[in-house]
Amino acid sequence: MRYIKMIVPKKILNDVEKILKKYNAYSISIVKPIKTSIEDGYIVTCNAKTEDAEKIVLELKKLGLGEKGYGSLIIMPAKITFSCRDEGVSDTKLSKLELFYKAHDMVKISEKTIIKVILATIMGVVGLLENSIPTLIGAMIIAPLVDTVMASAIGSVLKNKELFIKGMKKELYFVFIIIVISFISALIFTFPERILKLYIEESPLILSAIVALVAGISGGISIASGKEYEMIGVTIDVSILLPSILFGLSLATKNLHLIILSFILLIINIILLDVGGYLGILYMIKRKSY
């Protein structure tokens, strides 16, 4: 694997993007820096397979990159990377282009993420069955659901319909998996309705809604800041994983009252997470840099 870093004049930025996409570059980052060695230049970084990286470099050199006064081009092993933010040459928040590429990575569904969703669901069901908070927290940590919310939120902020739809599809796909696994688990194990009533009836809906909204806003601010958001992700997972499990378990009880309440809880949480993510990202994009 190879890591490529370059300074690109704005007038050929679109051509560079096309080359990177053509040769399957990934983890693409496009930063508008505070200062560069050329006027109106962008810092572009990406990763690519060794054979693809060589083709990318050849194509970029045809554009003139690497020539004196026309940008620079660096290629090195993928494990050696530099952060423009850590070096203090760019803004602390992600640009719209960076958010766009980040969201494109987020909407991808891999076998690994599906397995993690299944494992997190099983652990969550066990946590509810045992009424074990540590087990439930462990399930939230395992669940890779934060990207699904943030991808659709980024699509909304950027007014990119395709990105928003892909994010929502992934979000609803994972919710469906959680519901099915929970439903099957409830058929296998004897699940006391009193536990469901504890989490669904006795927990105020307004408090769950507040948590979902706050988690979405915090996640949006974190991701748009270019910072790690794993801990915020746990809160987001709480607002998706737990309501989805509760709905799946409620379906197995055939208790219409519990089914309706858990469904309302799930829908409200999904909507408020996405709204919160939208507000958090929008705030960071519009925030002035000093």
Side-chain angles (χ1 to χ4, degrees):
M1 307 299 281
R2 290 291 181 268
Y3 172 78
I4 303 172
K5 178 180 179 181
M6 65 198 93
I7 298 177
V8 180
K10 183 179 180 180
K11 60 184 178 181
I12 63 167
L13 184 59
N14 288 337
D15 294 325
V16 170
E17 287 184 65
K18 289 177 183 177
I19 292 171
L20 297 183
K21 291 177 182 178
K22 177 182 175 182
Y23 291 105
N24 306 310
Y26 59 95
S27 298
I28 300 172
S29 171
I30 300 178
V31 180
K32 177 62 176 175
I34 297 171
K35 56 182 179 180
T36 59
S37 57
I38 60 173
E39 186 178 353
D40 203 14
Y42 284 77
I43 296 177
V44 180
T45 60
C46 68
N47 288 314
K49 293 180 180 179
T50 302
E51 58 272 22
D52 291 330
E54 292 172 355
K55 296 174 184 176
I56 289 171
V57 171
L58 288 174
E59 292 273 2
L60 292 174
K61 286 185 176 180
K62 290 179 182 178
L63 290 178
L65 282 182
E67 299 295 328
K68 186 175 181 180
Y70 204 65
S72 62
L73 180 60
I74 301 172
I75 182 170
M76 60 190 75
K79 291 183 179 179
I80 304 175
T81 60
F82 299 96
S83 169
C84 299
R85 291 177 175 79
D86 292 341
E87 293 171 1
V89 296
S90 75
D91 188 10
T92 55
K93 64 181 181 182
L94 297 185
S95 66
K96 289 183 179 181
L97 277 172
E98 287 180 284
L99 284 171
F100 175 80
Y101 281 114
K102 197 171 187 68
H104 261 280
D105 288 336
M106 288 176 169
V107 296
K108 296 176 182 176
I109 300 175
S110 67
E111 182 180 339
K112 185 174 81 170
T113 56
I114 293 175
I115 292 173
K116 289 177 74 173
V117 168
I118 293 172
L119 293 176
T121 304
I122 294 171
M123 183 176 283
V125 170
V126 172
L128 284 173
L129 188 61
E130 296 180 343
N131 198 20
S132 171
I133 300 301
T135 305
L136 284 173
I137 293 174
M140 309 308 166
I141 293 173
I142 292 174
L145 302 173
V146 60
D147 283 358
T148 64
V149 176
M150 292 298 105
S152 56
I154 291 171
S156 297
V157 173
L158 299 182
K159 294 180 173 57
N160 188 305
K161 185 178 179 181
E162 181 183 359
L163 200 56
F164 171 77
I165 291 175
K166 284 183 177 180
M168 286 304 302
K169 279 184 177 179
K170 182 179 179 181
E171 188 173 347
L172 295 176
Y173 176 65
F174 282 164
V175 166
F176 175 75
I177 291 175
I178 296 168
I179 292 171
V180 171
I181 298 296
S182 303
F183 178 79
I184 294 172
S185 300
L187 296 179
I188 296 173
F189 303 101
T190 303
F191 211 94
E193 283 192 23
R194 60 179 176 80
I195 295 179
L196 291 177
K197 290 179 179 179
L198 173 66
Y199 283 92
I200 297 173
E201 291 185 336
E202 299 181 21
S203 299
L205 186 61
I206 184 66
L207 294 182
S208 177
I210 291 172
V211 169
L213 183 62
V214 170
I217 293 172
S218 300
I221 290 175
S222 296
I223 194 170
S225 300
K227 297 177 181 178
E228 297 297 325
Y229 54 97
E230 279 77 6
M231 294 308 296
I232 297 296
V234 173
T235 311
I236 290 176
D237 292 338
V238 169
S239 299
I240 296 184
L241 183 65
L242 187 56
S244 300
I245 291 175
L246 291 173
F247 180 60
L249 296 175
S250 297
L251 286 174
T253 67
K254 298 179 181 179
N255 184 322
L256 186 60
H257 178 64
L258 290 178
I259 291 173
I260 292 173
L261 284 180
S262 59
F263 179 73
I264 292 172
L265 175 66
L266 175 59
I267 295 301
I268 288 177
N269 277 23
I270 288 176
I271 292 173
L272 289 180
L273 276 171
D274 284 272
V275 169
Y278 172 85
L279 293 174
I281 294 168
L282 186 65
Y283 164 75
M284 287 303 298
I285 285 178
K286 291 184 176 296
R287 184 180 65 87
K288 292 182 179 180
S289 303
Y290 297 97

